[in-house]
Amino acid sequence: MATTKRAAPRPKKAPATADAAAPPAEASAPPVKRARRKKTPAEGSRGLPAGVLLAGPVPPEVESLAHAIQEDGGSVLAIYRDPLGAHPTVLAGLPLDRVEPTPFQRDLSEAHAKKLADVIDKIGTFLDPIIAFRRPDGRYWTPNGRHRLEAMKRLGGRALVALVVPDERVAYQILALNTEKAHNVRERAIEVIRMARSLADAGSDRAEKDFSFEFEEPALLTLGLCYEARPRFSGGSYHGLLRASDAFLDLPLAEALTHREAQAERLLELDDRVTEIAAALKARGFESPFLKPFVVARLNPLRFRKGAQMAVDDVLDRMLDAARAFDVGRVRPEQIARTGGPPLEEAA
């Protein structure tokens, strides 16, 4: 019988010492900072229980509002506290001819108004109350019900139901409140600049930065001015770079508007040059629909500087200089082919 040789046992490795196991101090990776997750409130832990929304004293200003609504020919259906913040609100029926949209919100969409009127007429019920506040002249402004209001007018309605709030600041919170039709960049920008002008004309001495909630983004103010001067302005091409570099100004609103008007003029000057470059590329045979976004991306000084900070005025200066020196002859077809398409806001 053949015998098999056993392999010699491998020598055991000596246990590593603590010094050998530990990496050098300079080679250790820095601790990773984990973003704190916002704590989700426990279910049923906030606000008022449903059974007490009608309870509690009515503040004098709300009693005065309810009395004024009745004098205006309306009817108070209920005074309640909202379930989250407990703010007193009046549920009321308002005469249709006393309600109008705030003068600085987006323009009416004919197609949306017609569709909404057809739907309300078909079901025969007005189910979606508007938000409104009472003006000193007895008129009611709604920041979020323009299309519902127009639909009821077209149907010959005489009244509608509204949640009337005593705080007139709600009129300037359009972007947060308007949910009946999604805003695109152009609509948001035009509403914001109209709001800013309205507040400035009313004599507000607050700084632009104090309206950060109402205005949502500083870039929208500059873009709004551009859209007013040039309705077909391709603001989506510039929205991203402005959003990355712009900030609300610590200037009284009227002064801030003057600054932004100068800023908008430079952006329009840049857009003129971008349009010329895109036309020259088209003349060379490039037929991509993304020529302008491609040119803007090539001019953007923040393009390859992820996380870099640069003031919007410096960004526009750099882009204007780059646009004047842009060499159309050095652009290659594959560079344009890699363009991913227009900004999402422009495609909306």
Side-chain angles (χ1 to χ4, degrees):
M1 178 183 294
T3 59
T4 58
K5 293 183 179 181
R6 292 183 180 178
R10 294 182 180 179
K12 293 183 179 179
K13 291 184 179 179
T17 64
D19 291 339
E26 61 272 16
S28 60
V32 178
K33 291 184 179 180
R34 296 187 177 181
R36 284 187 176 183
R37 291 186 178 180
K38 188 175 180 181
K39 190 175 180 181
T40 304
E43 185 176 347
S45 64
R46 292 187 64 190
L48 301 175
V52 302
L53 298 186
L54 292 175
V58 178
E61 66 271 17
V62 179
E63 285 187 349
S64 298
L65 174 60
H67 182 68
I69 290 172
Q70 291 174 330
E71 286 191 337
D72 295 335
S75 58
V76 175
L77 307 177
I79 298 176
Y80 70 96
R81 293 182 292 166
D82 86 82
L84 185 62
H87 305 295
T89 304
V90 180
L91 178 65
L94 298 179
L96 199 67
D97 59 4
R98 281 185 176 266
V99 184
E100 58 193 42
T102 50
F104 35 77
Q105 62 182 282
R106 65 182 167 188
D107 298 329
L108 184 79
S109 165
E110 177 64 30
H112 187 62
K114 182 180 183 306
K115 181 178 180 181
L116 194 56
D118 291 342
V119 171
I120 294 174
D121 192 29
K122 185 174 182 178
I123 64 176
T125 310
F126 184 80
L127 293 174
D128 194 2
I130 64 171
I131 297 170
F133 84 95
R134 187 180 186 274
R135 304 263 298 160
D137 60 1
R139 309 287 297 174
Y140 293 81
W141 273 7
T142 174
N144 81 326
R146 180 166 202 155
H147 292 89
R148 279 168 284 169
L149 175 63
E150 179 65 21
M152 287 295 285
K153 285 182 178 179
R154 295 184 182 191
L155 293 173
R158 292 185 290 183
L160 45 67
V161 178
L163 302 177
V164 186
V165 294
D167 188 355
E168 69 178 37
R169 289 177 299 177
V170 73
Y172 294 92
Q173 296 170 352
I174 297 171
L175 297 181
L177 293 171
N178 199 324
T179 58
E180 64 184 20
K181 181 177 178 287
H183 289 60
N184 57 32
V185 170
R186 181 180 182 277
E187 291 171 331
R188 290 162 64 202
I190 289 175
E191 286 185 358
V192 165
I193 197 59
R194 288 175 179 174
M195 277 194 285
R197 282 216 182 88
S198 175
L199 288 163
D201 291 344
S204 175
D205 58 356
R206 294 167 62 192
E208 181 188 274
K209 68 176 186 178
D210 295 336
F211 295 97
S212 59
F213 176 78
E214 289 84 355
F215 296 162
E216 194 173 275
E217 293 177 19
L220 295 176
L221 290 156
T222 301
L223 289 175
L225 289 163
C226 291
Y227 277 117
E228 285 186 336
R230 193 174 295 171
R232 296 186 64 82
F233 176 69
S234 53
S237 298
Y238 304 97
H239 186 208
L241 66 91
L242 290 178
R243 192 166 47 188
S245 57
D246 208 350
F248 286 113
L249 303 174
D250 190 11
L251 294 172
L253 201 51
E255 292 181 35
L257 283 172
T258 300
H259 179 87
R260 291 204 176 271
E261 285 167 359
Q263 197 175 83
E265 287 181 7
R266 294 164 67 211
L267 184 55
L268 290 172
E269 180 185 351
L270 173 63
D271 186 59
D272 288 337
R273 180 57 186 148
V274 168
T275 301
E276 291 173 4
I277 295 171
L281 289 170
K282 192 171 183 179
R284 284 191 57 205
F286 295 108
E287 294 295 335
S288 170
F290 309 134
L291 289 179
K292 284 191 73 171
F294 165 77
V295 175
V296 172
R298 291 293 293 266
L299 300 177
N300 185 1
L302 300 175
R303 183 185 179 197
F304 296 115
R305 301 172 61 185
K306 189 174 182 180
Q309 299 292 321
M310 187 181 296
V312 64
D313 290 327
D314 294 333
V315 169
L316 292 176
D317 284 342
R318 294 275 296 272
M319 292 184 73
L320 280 165
D321 290 341
R324 295 183 189 108
F326 194 93
D327 187 354
V328 175
R330 298 184 63 181
V331 177
R332 301 188 303 275
E334 60 270 21
Q335 293 174 319
I336 295 180
R338 287 196 295 267
T339 303
L344 293 178
E345 296 90 352
E346 194 71 8

